[in-house]
Amino acid sequence: MTNGIITKVAGPLVIAEGMRDANMFDVVRVSSHRLIGEIIEMHGDRASIQVYEETSGLGPGEAVESTGAPLSVELGPGLIGAIYDGIQRPLNEIMKIAGNNLERGVEVPSLDHKKKWHFIPAVKKGDKVTAGDTIGTVQETHAVVHKILVPDKMSGTIKEIKEGDFNIDETVAVLDNNGKSENLRMATKWPVRIGRPYKKKLSPDILLTTGQRTIDTLFPIAKGGVAAVPGPFGSGKTVVQHQLAKWAAADIIVYIGCGERGNEMTDVLNEFPELRDPRTGNSLMERTVLIANTSDMPVAAREASIYTGITIAEYFRDMGYTVALMADSTSRWAEALREMSGRLEEMPGEEGYPAYLGSRLAQFYERAGRVIVNGSKDIEGALSVIGAVSPPGGDISEPVSQATLRIVKVFWGLDAALAYKRHFPAINWLTSYSLYTDQLEKWYAENASPDFMELRGRLMSLLQDEAELQEIVNLVGMDALSAPDRLKLETARAIREDYLHQNAFDATDTYTSLKKQVLMMKAILLCYDKSLEALQKGADIELLASMQVRERIGRFKYEEEEKSDQEFNSIKAIIDQEIEDVLERSED
């Protein structure tokens, strides 16, 4: 252990001398309060330490003690359903010790070391295992079977293993690792800044279904993909992330509230336990890990919360699960980087952010992916990362948004104007994009509909045409448009209001299966095609625009999933009937 002396305190930055034997990224305990810090810069025996707790009252001459180990997270049964702060301290346990006020220097184990878990072996004595293999399982919650894995860089023969109730410190198996006996426990530690290893990264060509029509149809995210949700205050970033947490086809959710306002984080903490998991009918917390790091908590801990969250997510990915990580928001983390960089007196980049902002963001996002995990069997796991970005005033030309856009493959641009019109999700279809679309084409054809991409293309082209026609309407009025153009506007309105607009609080509309999405698209486009044919036969545009079936198409989204085929056939029949009526009336 290395002991040093504080020479300078500048907010979350503490400079200590006499730290010659310490290493970069070692965790240190600062002063008699034993505040947690991490060494982020070394010059000879002088260490710059970012402290993850409030430093007021510290002064030169106080002691600094290095633990000799990097910032690590404890991984094992008990993670699911837990609520941690940025450095993986369980907030519920801290509250029992310190009451409602988060005190400095509180030392609480991340996992419950006394609780017994029922361990069921998955291998037997004499079996050969390698790093990443499952040696046994623990039923952690109704929704999650926690797999106990052989630790990294270990392999050999199982000498001893037994079923029973153990705490996370007790030996559940003994491994003969090249003649050396290793006691395997249910818990392990992993340094947060190092990505967990895997065998092979796979192509992102499977859709992460979300049940959100704008996302699944227009701007899809692949399993193991990365997406950014930038938007101004009040545009619905948090609601989008809640919807994805609830409905995305992920086994485990890791939600990081990184520097969010206290009231927003309180909403998450109150709502998540009450949200019904559509898979099990129980609380969504039974497959969720929450990391709460609010804006009034020490700034430096924002960086730790991001790394803590993604390491926990990788751990569950290594069990072969599909994990979705929500980071809300990476802008707050970038602000913490800016503050620390300023205190370290580094050369600032654009708008005062450090020059390495882009590389730090990239290091975080590149830990996502669909992979073959370590182990003797080829098991697939996926980690998808959805990062919210909070650009000041919604201006995405600022450095954090631009650095993020260079890395991520999906951009869901939230629009304040759409949110103001109460169009949710407020994802702007003209500025958003997904670079996974081409890779997912085959998957859509096999799992949704052979003509899915054609339907999607037609929807996008009608929406783009509407934007151009709307400019003409604004200048010279609706009467200047030709009948086919007016029909285009009417159809685009149906796409916007009946298809893209989705009510998160309606029991039926909150989630739409891909099959129903295809039928809804077909209904809108069938109405358009038949109306276009009728126009060419001399039908009156006013009569076509006021057909009753348009209202029926608008109500399609509120129909139950199992009745969607029947409803589509009814709409089809009504379209044919009403078009005939319009043609007869037009001839009169």
Side-chain angles (χ1 to χ4, degrees):
M1 261 183 204
T2 307
N3 290 316
I5 300 292
I6 294 176
T7 57
K8 178 184 172 185
V9 179
L13 176 70
V14 167
I15 310 286
E17 288 184 352
M19 307 286 290
R20 186 171 297 282
D21 296 332
N23 297 312
M24 276 286 284
F25 300 124
D26 273 5
V27 171
V28 295
R29 291 286 182 174
V30 178
S31 85
S32 57
H33 294 294
R34 294 187 61 73
L35 309 183
I36 296 179
E38 185 183 22
I39 296 174
I40 54 171
E41 207 172 81
M42 290 288 294
H43 294 288
D45 72 339
R46 208 175 95 211
S48 298
I49 300 159
Q50 66 175 355
V51 181
Y52 293 135
E53 299 180 75
E54 183 57 55
T55 58
S56 58
L58 294 193
E62 294 195 58
V64 174
E65 179 190 301
S66 170
T67 61
L71 185 66
S72 303
V73 285
E74 200 167 22
L75 303 167
L79 285 170
I80 298 290
I83 301 163
Y84 293 112
D85 72 353
I87 42 182
Q88 211 206 2
R89 295 183 304 178
L91 292 175
N92 289 339
E93 295 304 312
I94 291 176
M95 193 176 82
K96 288 175 192 171
I97 297 169
N100 289 336
N101 294 320
L102 196 60
E103 285 184 12
R104 302 191 292 179
V106 177
E107 292 185 48
V108 186
S110 303
L111 299 174
D112 188 339
H113 287 248
K114 292 178 185 165
K115 184 173 180 180
K116 298 273 187 181
W117 299 92
H118 188 68
F119 174 79
I120 301 168
V123 292
K124 58 187 186 298
K125 186 178 175 181
D127 283 358
K128 284 194 164 21
V129 293
T130 183
D133 280 347
T134 303
I135 57 163
T137 58
V138 166
Q139 188 74 45
E140 188 167 354
T141 65
H142 289 295
V144 178
V145 174
H146 196 113
K147 298 174 187 175
I148 309 301
L149 309 176
V150 177
D152 191 39
K153 298 188 175 113
M154 278 193 198
S155 60
T157 309
I158 296 288
K159 282 171 68 178
E160 194 185 313
I161 190 165
K162 53 189 180 290
E163 183 174 347
D165 294 335
F166 303 94
N167 67 33
I168 59 172
D169 292 325
E170 290 173 327
T171 300
V172 294
V174 179
L175 178 71
D176 181 357
N177 184 13
N178 296 324
K180 184 183 171 192
S181 284
E182 299 277 3
N183 291 337
L184 302 185
R185 304 179 305 129
M186 287 195 273
T188 177
K189 283 202 161 192
W190 190 268
V192 296
R193 289 177 184 272
I194 298 169
R196 286 175 63 88
Y198 50 81
K199 268 193 211 166
K200 181 187 173 190
K201 208 161 204 172
L202 302 171
S203 171
D205 52 16
I206 296 175
L207 178 74
L208 180 72
T209 51
T210 65
Q212 310 308 299
R213 294 187 290 269
T214 314
I215 293 173
D216 286 352
T217 304
L218 300 186
F219 313 112
I221 178 172
K223 265 189 187 176
V226 285
V229 195
F233 179 75
S235 58
K237 289 189 293 295
T238 307
V239 175
V240 167
Q241 292 204 321
H242 282 206
Q243 282 295 90
L244 294 176
K246 187 172 181 183
W247 295 108
D251 305 306
I252 309 283
I253 303 297
V254 178
Y255 191 97
I256 308 169
C258 172
E260 279 304 283
R261 296 168 186 82
N263 59 334
E264 288 193 17
M265 208 58 230
T266 307
D267 283 349
V268 172
L269 298 179
N270 285 337
E271 285 171 23
F272 266 52
E274 288 177 17
L275 285 177
R276 294 292 101 202
D277 184 349
R279 295 176 174 207
T280 62
N282 297 325
S283 166
L284 190 63
M285 282 302 288
E286 291 201 353
R287 58 184 180 95
T288 303
V289 182
L290 286 180
I291 294 168
N293 183 242
T294 56
S295 50
D296 60 345
M297 287 179 176
V299 162
R302 294 177 189 178
E303 181 166 23
S305 67
I306 288 282
Y307 288 119
T308 297
I310 200 149
T311 307
I312 291 171
E314 284 177 331
Y315 174 63
F316 284 107
R317 175 208 69 193
D318 290 348
M319 295 180 198
Y321 287 124
T322 298
V323 186
L325 179 136
M326 320 285 164
D328 189 8
S329 87
T330 53
S331 295
R332 311 268 182 260
W333 168 33
E335 284 163 13
L337 286 178
R338 179 167 63 182
E339 176 162 342
M340 290 308 298
S341 175
R343 292 190 185 278
L344 287 165
E345 297 174 12
E346 294 171 339
M347 182 70 77
E350 196 181 345
E351 289 189 24
Y353 287 101
Y356 48 78
L357 171 69
S359 66
R360 285 286 175 89
L361 286 168
Q363 281 165 16
F364 166 67
Y365 281 110
E366 73 184 6
R367 286 170 73 169
R370 190 167 69 92
V371 301
I372 300 289
V373 301
N374 277 354
S376 48
K377 295 176 185 166
D378 281 356
I379 295 171
E380 198 178 289
L383 166 54
S384 311
V385 175
I386 294 124
V389 185
S390 312
D395 173 20
I396 62 160
S397 65
E398 56 88 43
V400 183
S401 302
Q402 288 304 308
T404 305
L405 292 185
R406 282 196 288 272
I407 302 156
V408 301
K409 299 285 198 302
V410 180
F411 169 62
W412 297 319
L414 298 180
D415 191 326
L418 284 174
Y420 184 71
K421 291 175 188 168
R422 293 287 176 264
H423 178 108
F424 292 107
I427 296 172
N428 187 317
W429 47 87
L430 298 173
T431 56
S432 303
Y433 61 81
S434 168
L435 302 181
Y436 293 120
T437 315
D438 293 344
Q439 286 164 291
L440 293 169
E441 190 167 346
K442 187 176 173 218
W443 189 93
Y444 276 125
E446 290 170 1
N447 296 277
S449 168
D451 58 351
F452 189 93
M453 295 309 280
E454 185 195 331
L455 295 169
R456 175 192 177 277
R458 290 192 64 196
L459 249 61
M460 285 297 283
S461 110
L462 281 163
L463 288 168
Q464 281 159 355
D465 288 350
E466 182 204 28
E468 291 167 18
L469 291 170
Q470 201 63 52
E471 287 181 21
I472 299 168
V473 171
N474 292 343
L475 282 171
V476 290
M478 185 70 84
D479 297 337
L481 294 183
S482 63
D485 282 347
R486 280 191 63 187
L487 189 59
K488 252 185 199 173
L489 276 185
E490 194 58 41
T491 308
R493 186 190 60 75
I495 295 168
R496 281 189 290 105
E497 294 178 8
D498 305 336
Y499 191 77
L500 299 183
H501 180 276
Q502 194 164 353
N503 186 351
F505 299 102
D506 182 271
T508 308
D509 195 30
T510 185
Y511 177 89
T512 309
S513 68
L514 280 174
K515 178 192 166 192
K516 187 175 170 186
Q517 289 183 37
V518 169
L519 293 176
M520 286 174 72
M521 284 194 279
K522 283 183 173 171
I524 292 168
L525 292 171
L526 183 70
C527 184
Y528 174 65
D529 292 338
K530 296 274 186 183
S531 300
L532 206 54
E533 281 174 29
L535 267 184
Q536 287 161 354
K537 291 176 184 170
D540 183 276
I541 182 65
E542 296 294 346
L543 293 174
L544 286 172
S546 58
M547 287 194 303
Q548 292 291 312
V549 75
R550 294 187 182 281
E551 196 179 316
R552 185 79 179 258
I553 291 169
R555 288 203 307 271
F556 193 175
K557 59 183 174 185
Y558 299 116
E559 284 295 327
E560 307 264 324
E561 289 279 342
E562 53 271 19
K563 295 180 186 165
S564 51
D565 279 322
Q566 186 186 333
E567 179 64 10
F568 176 70
N569 290 329
S570 300
I571 287 172
K572 209 169 161 183
I574 296 168
I575 289 172
D576 289 339
Q577 182 58 53
E578 288 204 16
I579 292 283
E580 271 181 45
D581 291 350
V582 166
L583 284 169
E584 280 174 23
R585 286 164 66 194
S586 300
E587 281 168 14
D588 297 345

